[in-house]
Amino acid sequence: QVQLEESGGGSVQAGGSLTLACVASGPAARSMAWFRQAPGKEREGVACSDSLDRPQYSDSVKGRFTISRDRNRNLLFLQMNSLKPEDTAMYYCAADVPGIFCYMIPGYYANWGQGTQVTVSS
């Protein structure tokens, strides 16, 4: 079981930036992802990185968010630029140990962090 802990959330104004970090402990995960969930909405995939560090992004964040990994320090990052009020949500880190590819489907991941809140005001 991979333990995940997110950090870096906060409150910013529209157009601002935040960088989220997720530290992993336990077995090395091949693929990792960021998800978010706003109140009353389903959890949605934001970005993922596969076993070869190839990124994927949802259309809503493409060009604004960047996912990256530091495998030496077991860290996953999400650089978020040009934030919009609709980016407001709880952001979760997810990890899959055996998976070669990554998918932005919540059911694909067995390991989840507790989340970090991102609030963007207009």
Side-chain angles (χ1 to χ4, degrees):
Q1 184 108 10
V2 180
Q3 275 80 49
L4 303 168
E5 184 173 356
E6 305 92 339
S7 62
S11 298
V12 296
Q13 290 192 324
S17 298
L18 282 173
T19 299
L20 305 184
C22 172
V23 59
S25 58
R30 287 190 172 185
S31 61
M32 297 187 74
W34 288 99
F35 288 80
R36 67 186 181 187
Q37 189 167 18
K41 295 189 176 181
E42 292 187 354
R43 190 167 296 191
E44 65 169 346
V46 175
C48 68
S49 178
D50 70 10
S51 60
L52 296 179
D53 294 337
R54 293 172 298 193
Q56 292 183 46
Y57 299 96
S58 68
D59 289 342
S60 62
V61 307
K62 200 172 294 182
R64 301 188 297 122
F65 291 11
T66 303
I67 189 171
S68 60
R69 293 183 73 167
D70 181 340
R71 290 181 183 270
N72 291 333
R73 294 190 294 161
N74 295 324
L75 288 167
L76 178 73
F77 299 101
L78 185 68
Q79 173 68 45
M80 306 185 294
N81 298 324
S82 302
L83 283 161
K84 304 175 181 180
E86 51 264 43
D87 294 319
T88 295
M90 186 71 78
Y91 283 70
Y92 297 91
C93 173
D96 182 60
V97 174
I100 297 174
F101 304 105
C102 74
Y103 301 93
M104 288 188 285
I105 302 171
Y108 181 72
Y109 298 90
N111 305 282
W112 292 85
Q114 293 300 308
T116 185
Q117 177 68 37
V118 172
T119 303
V120 184
S121 58
S122 58

